[in-house]
Amino acid sequence: MKNISSEEIKDYSKRIGDIIKKSQFEIGIGQIVKMTGISATQIRYWDQKGYIQSEKTNKNKNKQYSYHSFIKIQLIKSFLDSGFTLACAAQKASIFDETGNIIKKMLENRFNGLSVIDNHPAINMGSLSDNENEKVYFIDKGNQTEIKIIKK
């Protein structure tokens, strides 16, 4: 990010923000099988039982799943690998329905672009609620994320 101009960062930030707000990330069942090692038959069964939900597609197209469903599939698999029954694993993973929606809503509402702070990439998460002149930044420092409030 060191060689990118501030105008390029602003343009990129706007594009990322638009994608976050508009996108319904969809992954095909074949890709989910490759990424998780779970068979397509199992995924279809979980869909049929209502543990996960596919996106609406026409009859001639393979099933598509949202990024939210992909994470839930991974959670169910994780609980199954820990010895839980499918029903229990799905119930435990359903907690993600609420928390996943909260995370998505927070990103949609708070993402205000990308920046470079002290030669590190940073995400501008907007102003503090009680002070428009102080912005919250998440700064990527390799293996850790630093949170910084910067006065403007």
Side-chain angles (χ1 to χ4, degrees), residues 91-116:
Q91 190 271 331
K92 287 180 151 305
S94 70
I95 294 168
F96 176 71
D97 292 339
E98 184 177 339
T99 57
N101 288 330
I102 291 168
I103 292 167
K104 184 177 187 292
K105 185 170 50 174
M106 284 184 177
L107 279 174
E108 289 173 350
N109 292 334
R110 298 297 300 185
F111 179 84
N112 279 285
L114 301 173
S115 299
V116 176

Side-chain angles (χ1 to χ4, degrees), residues 42-43 45-53 69 72-73 76 86-91 93-94 97:
Q42 274 184 299
I43 293 168
Y45 179 74
W46 296 355
D47 194 350
Q48 178 189 2
K49 295 293 272 183
Y51 298 143
I52 58 172
Q53 188 173 9
S69 290
K72 192 169 179 182
I73 289 166
I76 291 171
L86 176 58
C88 187
Q91 190 271 331
S94 70
D97 292 339

Side-chain angles (χ1 to χ4, degrees), residues 1-2 9 113-125 135-141 146-152:
M1 296 210 40
K2 295 175 187 174
I9 291 172
L114 301 173
S115 299
V116 176
I117 298 174
D118 300 328
N119 292 321
H120 295 284
I123 299 173
N124 178 347
M125 295 302 285
K135 307 283 183 196
V136 177
Y137 288 87
F138 293 169
I139 304 166
D140 178 16
K141 296 220 170 164
E146 181 180 307
I147 300 171
K148 199 173 219 181
I149 297 172
I150 298 177
K151 292 184 180 187
K152 291 287 177 179

Side-chain angles (χ1 to χ4, degrees), residues 24-26 47 53-57 63-66 69:
Q24 295 296 322
F25 299 102
E26 293 179 357
D47 194 350
Q53 188 173 9
S54 62
E55 301 300 309
K56 304 288 184 222
T57 60
K63 289 192 179 259
Q64 298 282 312
Y65 293 88
S66 68
S69 290

Side-chain angles (χ1 to χ4, degrees), residues 72-84:
K72 192 169 179 182
I73 289 166
Q74 293 276 55
L75 281 170
I76 291 171
K77 181 181 185 306
S78 172
F79 287 120
L80 287 171
D81 291 347
S82 295
F84 291 94

